[in-house]
Amino acid sequence: MIELIPAIDIINGQCVRLTKGDYDQKTVYNDDPVEVARAFEEMGFKRLHVVDLDGAKSKHIVNVDVLRRITTETHLIVDFGGGIKTEEDIQTAFDNGAAMVTVGSVAVTKPDLFISWLHTFGAERMILGADVRNGMISINGWKEDSQESLLPFLKRYVDEGVRNVLCTEISKDGTLSGPAVNLYKEIMAAYPDLHLIASGGVSSTEDILELEREGIPAVVFGKAFYEGRIDLRSLNFEL
């Protein structure tokens, strides 16, 4: 069974979703992300993907209070990303209850630093964020495109021990246009042992079933779930 991971994206302390990472195309789904997290736990989810969008834009963690409330008021396994630029940021996330952190931009701009974090904190607690636009990695809240192409970028870190990768196809994120299945198949063909988390574009239950049929280990979803497009019973999810 594909691992189902709901997402909570945070701006100004609210649960939101963006379209293609555009901060001007924002939908607020709930004023209290903790309330949303509790609801996910009550549905039976075990894992939660939390993104500090203010942090991603500001290049430092902003919504640490929300993280702390989610991890103290639920038993969810939380992976946290957005604005993690220093070892202190990682420690702050862990100190406030995150089980894992997602790091993308630093892996592009300071590869040696990211590798040192892998060794310091352990590959099991680090998720490599690979945010892709036109085949190239984007950084800093998707505001900047790098010169790194996806598969060589992944190879560098797979060789260093990375086992968890969250790959978002930016052009699909928040669009409900379907996930980038071929992109994920390409990654899995190259690195079959990765715990790849597909992200972006999920629009329906069938999209998730397709990812499962193609052997993708995990999927993150937000907008489709908030808008009632995903039927957990059809996914044999135990409610």
Side-chain angles (χ1 to χ4, degrees):
M1 176 66 191
I2 190 169
E3 183 179 16
L4 304 176
I5 308 173
I8 292 178
D9 292 356
I10 306 167
I11 292 179
N12 296 328
Q14 298 174 309
C15 177
V16 307
R17 294 298 288 176
L18 306 182
T19 299
K20 299 182 181 180
D22 185 348
Y23 285 71
D24 293 327
Q25 297 187 61
K26 177 181 73 174
T27 302
V28 177
Y29 285 102
N30 196 300
D31 287 333
D32 186 2
V34 183
E35 180 180 290
V36 178
R38 284 196 296 262
F40 281 136
E41 184 174 41
E42 289 169 5
M43 291 174 202
F45 289 103
K46 306 298 184 189
R47 174 94 176 262
L48 182 65
H49 177 61
V50 176
V51 182
D52 181 355
L53 288 174
D54 293 313
K57 194 173 184 179
S58 302
K59 302 184 182 180
H60 60 85
I61 294 176
V62 174
N63 287 288
V64 67
D65 290 344
V66 178
L67 170 64
R68 182 170 59 252
R69 286 187 59 213
I70 289 173
T71 59
T72 55
E73 296 181 32
T74 77
H75 295 94
L76 293 164
I77 298 168
V78 175
D79 71 76
F80 180 82
I84 293 177
K85 303 297 183 185
T86 65
E87 186 167 321
E88 289 74 21
D89 288 328
I90 297 176
Q91 197 60 57
T92 294
F94 289 154
D95 288 347
N96 285 278
M100 292 166 278
V101 294
T102 301
V103 179
S105 299
V106 168
V108 175
T109 60
K110 300 178 180 178
D112 290 342
L113 180 59
F114 179 73
I115 290 168
S116 76
W117 292 349
L118 276 175
H119 297 158
T120 297
F121 296 102
E124 71 282 356
R125 303 193 78 186
M126 303 291 293
I127 301 172
L128 175 62
D131 301 326
V132 184
R133 180 163 41 213
N134 299 321
M136 308 300 285
I137 301 294
S138 290
I139 60 174
N140 294 328
W142 303 348
K143 297 298 183 185
E144 303 171 37
D145 292 330
S146 76
Q147 298 303 307
E148 295 266 8
S149 58
L150 176 61
L151 289 183
F153 173 75
L154 294 180
K155 184 179 188 308
R156 175 191 303 161
Y157 295 117
V158 169
D159 289 348
E160 291 288 342
V162 160
R163 290 295 173 263
N164 302 296
V165 171
L166 173 71
C167 183
T168 303
E169 170 50 74
I170 295 169
S171 68
K172 290 182 170 291
D173 193 69
T175 65
L176 301 174
S177 60
V181 178
N182 289 335
L183 175 69
Y184 304 130
K185 287 169 62 178
E186 183 180 8
I187 294 171
M188 292 306 299
Y191 307 111
D193 294 329
L194 272 184
H195 187 74
L196 176 65
I197 306 166
S199 171
V202 170
S203 67
S204 65
T205 306
E206 179 53 40
D207 285 341
I208 295 175
L209 292 172
E210 182 181 9
L211 290 167
E212 183 175 40
R213 286 193 296 270
E214 296 296 345
I216 309 305
V219 59
V220 162
F221 47 82
K223 190 172 187 176
F225 190 84
Y226 295 127
E227 299 195 356
R229 292 167 169 258
I230 295 175
D231 177 9
L232 293 177
R233 289 182 177 86
S234 298
L235 296 169
N236 294 318
F237 186 83
E238 293 184 5
L239 295 172

